[in-house]
Amino acid sequence: MSPLGQVLASSRPLSWVNTAFPFGAAYLLAGGGPDALFWLGCLWFLIPYNLLMYGINDVFDYESDLRNPRKGGVEGVVLDRRVHRLTIWAAVVSNVPFVVLFAAVGSVASNLVLAISIFAVVAYSAPVLRFKERPFLDSITSSTHFVSPAVFGLALADARGHEVEVGVTVLAALVGFFLWGVGSHAFGAVQDVTADRAADIGSIGTVLGARNTARFALAAYLLAGVCLLALPWPARLAALLVLPYAANVAPFLSVTDETCEQANAGWRRFLWLNFLTGFLVTQLLIWISLR
């Protein structure tokens, strides 16, 4: 693979939509409309944001990725050492124009959300901070990566003159989404418990163990569904969308630390399940907008 191909692959193209969709949906629901900021925001959260998030991770996780049999495909490339500097530069250069633009047109609130979002992306993998190695903070930070684009979409729409009321409905949706993110990260950590312990890497999985981490993930998904039940009809139908994720985790509730790698089958299903969920959420949003 060419150097530029490796850099692009490090942004996890399969996961681009997971950050662009929350921003776009939130911005539109807040009354922003398909204006220039909408398209620029979707573009930023589609590629540069993911390059910053995953590219930094692939550079600073190089040694552990070499020993991880999951790497080398849709779950992340193993970057050649020769493209590490290029990856960092590409991540910075591609993100700076968007950050400067949104900071210039935003408000104090939207800029605060913007700062938190960027900090969470960098802090997760960057040396010294390495939030990914701090149990429980790892799941919280990972979830922030996906929820903050939605919060930013709301804040940016408000900054552009569209009044956004942060009431029960908005909070229920965001908290539910956040718990989904926490559960998803925790489930992803199950498969790496043995490898992380061998490499002396801390995570929610190494602290709780594979079995308890899977159960933690299931609890987070179910709590997310409970939160979404607080939404008005028909939006509360979104609560049903956590059930496939819960079903995906269920077969691994008794997994042991020794058999934790079996959870990779569930993780691979999770990656594709996100596309089905995104499609169903889109249909639900269309239904809501047409009522």
Side-chain angles (χ1 to χ4, degrees):
M1 187 182 296
S2 68
L4 289 179
Q6 288 193 57
V7 171
L8 184 63
S10 73
S11 68
R12 311 288 202 281
L14 190 66
S15 299
W16 285 354
V17 69
N18 294 341
T19 46
F21 185 89
F23 166 81
Y27 189 80
L28 290 177
L29 289 173
D35 56 17
L37 289 179
F38 167 80
W39 293 111
L40 287 170
C42 287
L43 176 61
W44 178 43
F45 283 113
L46 190 70
I47 305 176
Y49 181 85
N50 281 288
L51 178 57
L52 183 66
M53 178 163 57
Y54 293 118
I56 290 176
N57 181 77
D58 286 347
V59 168
F60 294 113
D61 281 8
Y62 176 71
E63 294 297 335
S64 61
D65 284 351
L66 284 174
R67 300 170 176 80
N68 193 331
R70 294 195 298 112
K71 299 299 181 178
V74 296
E75 297 179 65
V77 299
V78 178
L79 287 175
D80 190 298
R81 283 187 182 275
R82 293 171 294 180
V83 300
H84 284 189
R85 185 183 297 274
L86 175 62
T87 301
I88 295 296
W89 272 107
V92 172
V93 171
S94 63
N95 276 273
V96 166
F98 289 98
V99 173
V100 171
L101 169 66
F102 288 122
V105 302
S107 62
V108 172
S110 66
N111 286 341
L112 177 60
V113 176
L114 181 65
I116 291 173
S117 185
I118 295 298
F119 175 76
V121 165
V122 174
Y124 186 75
S125 302
V128 182
L129 293 171
R130 295 290 288 179
F131 283 7
K132 68 173 295 177
E133 294 187 27
R134 303 179 188 276
F136 296 99
L137 183 58
D138 55 352
S139 292
I140 291 172
T141 306
S142 177
S143 187
T144 301
H145 294 163
F146 302 98
V147 178
S148 62
V151 179
F152 181 66
L154 296 175
L156 185 63
D158 185 73
R160 303 306 294 168
H162 305 281
E163 294 187 10
V164 178
E165 182 180 350
V166 183
V168 174
T169 298
V170 172
L171 288 177
L174 292 177
V175 172
F177 187 18
F178 189 82
L179 287 170
W180 171 88
V182 168
S184 297
H185 178 273
F187 181 55
V190 172
Q191 61 198 322
D192 292 327
V193 168
T194 300
D196 284 347
R197 283 180 176 161
D200 198 27
I201 296 175
S203 74
I204 188 172
T206 61
V207 168
L208 295 180
R211 180 177 302 166
N212 287 332
T213 305
R215 294 174 179 179
F216 175 88
L218 177 63
Y221 282 139
L222 295 179
L223 284 174
V226 171
C227 288
L228 295 177
L229 288 174
L231 299 177
W233 177 266
R236 70 168 61 102
L237 287 173
L240 296 175
L241 297 179
V242 306
L243 296 181
Y245 291 96
N248 188 43
V249 173
F252 308 101
L253 295 180
S254 296
V255 70
T256 65
D257 292 357
E258 291 71 27
T259 61
C260 67
E261 292 181 2
Q262 294 177 3
N264 179 249
W267 182 250
R268 286 179 173 270
R269 284 196 297 270
F270 164 84
L271 295 176
W272 295 105
L273 184 57
N274 288 340
F275 286 95
L276 173 61
T277 303
F279 170 77
L280 293 175
V281 169
T282 300
Q283 304 313 304
L284 183 57
L285 292 177
I286 292 173
W287 181 14
I288 293 171
S289 66
L290 293 177
R291 294 180 77 240

